Amino acid sequence: MPSEFTSQKETALFQPEHVRRQFPIFEREVAWLDNAATTQRPERVLRAMDEFNRRHNANTRRSVHRLGAEATAAYEGAREVVARFIGAESPAEVIFTPGTTVGINIVANSLAHGGIGPGDEVWISAQEHHGNWVPWLKATQTLGAHLRIIPLLPDGHLDLARFQEGLAGGRVRWVALTWVSNVLGFENDVRAFCAAAHGAGARVLVDAAQAAAHVPMDVRELDCDFLAFSGHKMYGPMGIGVLWGRAELLAQMEPFILGGEMIGRVEEQAATWAEPPYRFEGGTPNVMGAVGLGEAMGWLENLPAGAHEHVSALAREAAQTLAELPGVRILGPAMERVSLVSFCVDGVHAHDVAQVLDGRGIAVRAGHMCAQPLLRRLGVESAVRASFAPYNTMDEVNALVEGVRAAQELFA
Amino acid sequence: MSEQLYQRIMLEHARNPHGAGKVPRGTEDGEALNSACGDDIRIALQWGADGRLEKMTHELQGCAVSKASASLASQKLAGLTTAEIREVAAGFHARLGQTGFEKEWGDFQMFNGIEKFPARIHCARLVWQAVAQALAKREGGAP
């Protein structure tokens, strides 16, 4: 059933099969609709990591030998790729982390050293993933500060006016906000929130985990203060991610992970720290992961025209078609879709829907999606989520809808 | 095919679970949470003067597997002493996803083959975690 979206010129020209062929995992029969949890890796990324392991493996920076120099060049080269990809002023603003969660923890931990005190406020939104919720909850509890929540408007969008009222109180010091919710799937107007926060002297961290693969990231245009994302949700490997921060803020920040690689000078009873980014990269770095992430960014930049439109068209088609099934509730506005759709089926638990889909070779996520406060506000206990990538097809969307219908029949 | 997991007998238990009812938060004897999906169960146990379980009521937010499991547990445990319940629980855990259930376990045989769906083993265990907690509370010992 073609929709008005598939008939759009750019999506009609885009050939998902060409992209799909670049992914060895699709030698297996699977409709991978769990891309918001983790994306698959193209041959190009796998090969780059394999090449590093086979030919250049060494520890970085401290090594005098040839392989050490090559590994250092590979690692710092990847840092330059990331800096260009997100529009950073310099590679020194790019901190490699194990993933989004650790990046957020580095910043949340720094609140203890950032002059936040009793009565101050940290604001997050009701849409946040647990990874952008509990680090701030713990930090504010420890410091005697308050965690405030930007509420949702009836359609799921964030209530900017309510946030501005909060800012007017004069106690807001930090804001942490998701760019694209992993449940609702539309883009928040983070620029507007950054502008409002900065007007009140507050700093903003943006959780870009669900944006990184789909939305062009330019930290200067966004005008945030910190940005965190993961490599494995953007066709790179697991275990690598990025925390970007403004150079002048990183320079003032205390380290989180202490140990090798992040020190200046160590005395028996005193130590100084290395400059950023190394100050925040304690321990042996994940060089292979950084190489893979750099390669994934190169792959993303070379995606054929229409790839991102294709992804959002799949998500919209899925949302629209599922919404037409009696007893199916779509979370968030059906038409505003970056790459995913979450839904609930009356009388069928999300796990059971996902199990029936798995039996048909369709992989989706089911459960609380690491966003329990959000689901509670939406009045649901658990949901099913289908999330898309350029290698997915309209046939897979149709199979998804067919599978949901089958689950409804089985549990009728 | 995942439909294999959902045999007729499981669907029947899930549709009309034995022992399902209201267990208001704070009144439960045992509770268990599946942190992977957010499912939770609260159970209330009614004991007779003879020390035997008269009735187990559960309130469950969960999938068909956890519902069917709670239903089976309610049937199986009625009339048993705490020692007997512990024995049945141990038998359940030794069989679930491992040796499988023999004929004398009746409807529990619906779980034979669940090892092919490892993510769902937790769902089947949920009620039994709550039972263990309730027994520990009653006996004042370790679960």
Side-chain angles (χ1 to χ4, degrees):
Chain A
M1 186 172 59
S3 78
E4 54 182 303
F5 305 109
T6 50
S7 64
Q8 278 176 13
K9 200 175 167 197
E10 69 270 36
T11 38
L13 288 174
F14 176 76
Q15 301 286 328
E17 294 76 16
H18 290 171
V19 175
R20 198 176 179 87
R21 276 199 286 275
Q22 300 170 33
F23 288 73
I25 202 155
F26 294 124
E27 286 164 17
R28 297 190 63 171
E29 284 283 319
V30 61
W32 186 253
L33 305 186
D34 198 15
N35 293 288
T38 198
T39 45
Q40 299 301 343
R41 285 154 215 138
E43 182 70 41
R44 177 177 162 175
V45 167
L46 298 174
R47 206 175 290 155
M49 293 192 292
D50 195 42
E51 170 80 5
F52 172 78
N53 285 329
R54 288 174 189 277
R55 308 252 329 146
H56 309 291
N57 180 49
N59 214 324
T60 55
R61 292 176 68 211
R62 291 166 301 187
S63 311
V64 175
H65 45 69
R66 205 174 306 170
L67 264 64
E70 290 168 14
T72 304
Y75 189 57
E76 297 306 327
R79 199 190 302 279
E80 286 169 22
V81 170
V82 174
R84 277 199 306 276
F85 192 85
I86 64 173
E89 294 276 352
S90 113
E93 292 184 329
V94 173
I95 298 157
F96 282 121
T97 66
T100 310
T101 298
V102 173
I104 293 169
N105 272 274
I106 289 172
V107 180
N109 176 75
S110 79
L111 296 191
H113 314 286
I116 284 211
D120 284 338
E121 294 178 7
V122 173
W123 281 64
I124 61 174
S125 90
Q127 291 180 3
E128 302 312 315
H129 185 282
H130 297 160
N132 201 28
W133 197 297
V134 290
W136 307 106
L137 179 63
K138 178 85 164 25
T140 48
Q141 283 177 342
T142 306
L143 298 169
H146 301 295
L147 185 67
R148 305 277 190 231
I149 317 297
I150 304 169
L152 304 178
L153 296 167
D155 67 354
H157 284 272
L158 297 179
D159 190 340
L160 180 60
R162 180 68 197 85
F163 176 60
Q164 285 165 326
E165 285 168 29
L167 290 171
R171 299 305 300 261
V172 184
R173 305 291 305 277
W174 278 87
V175 182
L177 203 60
T178 184
W179 193 340
V180 177
S181 151
N182 71 315
V183 175
L184 297 172
F186 55 78
E187 213 182 323
N188 287 315
D189 187 1
V190 277
R191 283 167 201 82
F193 283 88
C194 286
H198 287 159
R203 297 294 181 190
V204 186
L205 175 140
V206 172
D207 173 354
Q210 294 298 340
H214 308 290
V215 182
M217 293 191 288
D218 184 328
V219 290
R220 276 173 293 194
E221 200 223 319
L222 210 55
D223 200 31
C224 56
D225 300 295
F226 293 91
L227 181 92
F229 57 94
S230 301
H232 73 98
K233 293 190 198 291
M234 55 189 306
Y235 314 101
M238 291 177 176
I240 191 79
V242 169
L243 172 67
W244 168 87
R246 284 182 197 275
E248 65 270 25
L249 297 177
L250 292 178
Q252 302 161 19
M253 250 166 69
E254 287 289 309
F256 179 45
I257 305 290
L258 307 180
E261 301 274 357
M262 54 71 64
I263 46 89
R265 185 183 176 82
V266 179
E267 309 285 351
E268 287 193 10
Q269 301 294 335
T272 61
W273 314 136
E275 291 301 308
Y278 308 110
R279 186 187 300 168
F280 305 102
E281 294 182 355
T284 293
N286 179 359
V287 184
M288 178 197 73
V291 166
L293 175 57
E295 201 66 19
M297 287 178 168
W299 181 83
L300 267 167
E301 283 172 334
N302 283 308
L303 267 177
H308 296 298
E309 292 79 359
H310 169 73
V311 170
S312 57
L314 293 177
R316 282 192 306 254
E317 178 70 17
Q320 267 189 316
T321 320
L322 286 167
E324 284 165 14
L325 296 181
V328 175
R329 176 186 169 194
I330 299 296
L331 304 181
M335 300 303 287
E336 287 181 61
R337 300 280 149 197
V338 173
S339 69
L340 64 85
V341 55
S342 303
F343 59 95
C344 307
V345 183
D346 276 356
V348 192
H349 190 274
H351 263 180
D352 295 322
V353 176
Q355 191 78 64
V356 171
L357 290 172
D358 181 64
R360 294 167 164 248
I362 303 166
V364 296
R365 178 75 196 273
H368 54 52
M369 252 89 81
C370 296
Q372 288 180 335
L374 172 61
L375 290 198
R376 225 165 277 134
R377 282 191 187 224
L378 296 172
V380 300
E381 295 285 343
S382 64
V384 186
R385 180 183 68 198
S387 51
F388 301 90
Y391 40 66
N392 293 124
T393 64
M394 206 51 88
D395 284 349
E396 290 174 326
V397 171
N398 295 335
L400 166 74
V401 175
E402 209 39 59
V404 171
R405 211 178 275 146
Q408 284 183 308
E409 273 167 29
L410 184 66
F411 289 94
Chain B
M1 287 296 284
S2 72
E3 273 92 328
Q4 279 175 352
L5 178 66
Y6 302 114
Q7 296 161 22
R8 185 186 51 82
I9 191 79
M10 180 184 286
L11 295 172
E12 278 170 14
H13 275 281
R15 271 188 206 112
N16 295 303
H18 294 272
K22 290 280 168 216
V23 182
R25 198 169 289 283
T27 69
E28 72 275 3
D29 294 307
E31 185 179 18
L33 182 75
N34 185 345
S35 61
C37 58
D39 288 354
D40 71 293
I41 187 167
R42 290 188 300 279
I43 61 170
L45 306 184
Q46 258 174 273
W47 299 92
D50 57 357
R52 294 185 175 274
L53 180 65
E54 277 180 355
K55 195 181 173 198
M56 177 170 101
T57 308
H58 70 266
E59 185 169 347
L60 166 65
Q61 180 65 49
C63 62
V65 178
S66 57
K67 279 182 186 160
S69 190
S71 176
L72 286 176
S74 293
Q75 283 183 314
K76 183 90 175 169
L77 300 183
L80 303 187
T81 64
T82 53
E84 288 165 345
I85 291 173
R86 282 191 189 283
E87 204 173 309
V88 173
F92 173 83
H93 291 300
R95 285 169 176 78
L96 183 76
Q98 299 185 55
T99 62
F101 295 89
E102 304 89 339
K103 243 194 188 118
E104 54 267 32
W105 280 78
D107 286 356
F108 280 88
Q109 290 176 93
M110 73 169 75
F111 292 133
N112 291 350
I114 199 170
E115 61 276 10
K116 283 179 282 191
F117 311 96
R120 309 309 295 277
I121 290 177
H122 300 288
C123 312
R125 280 188 191 140
L126 197 65
V127 65
W128 293 93
Q129 290 168 354
V131 167
Q133 197 187 67
L135 288 190
K137 218 189 259 180
R138 180 169 169 82
E139 296 178 331

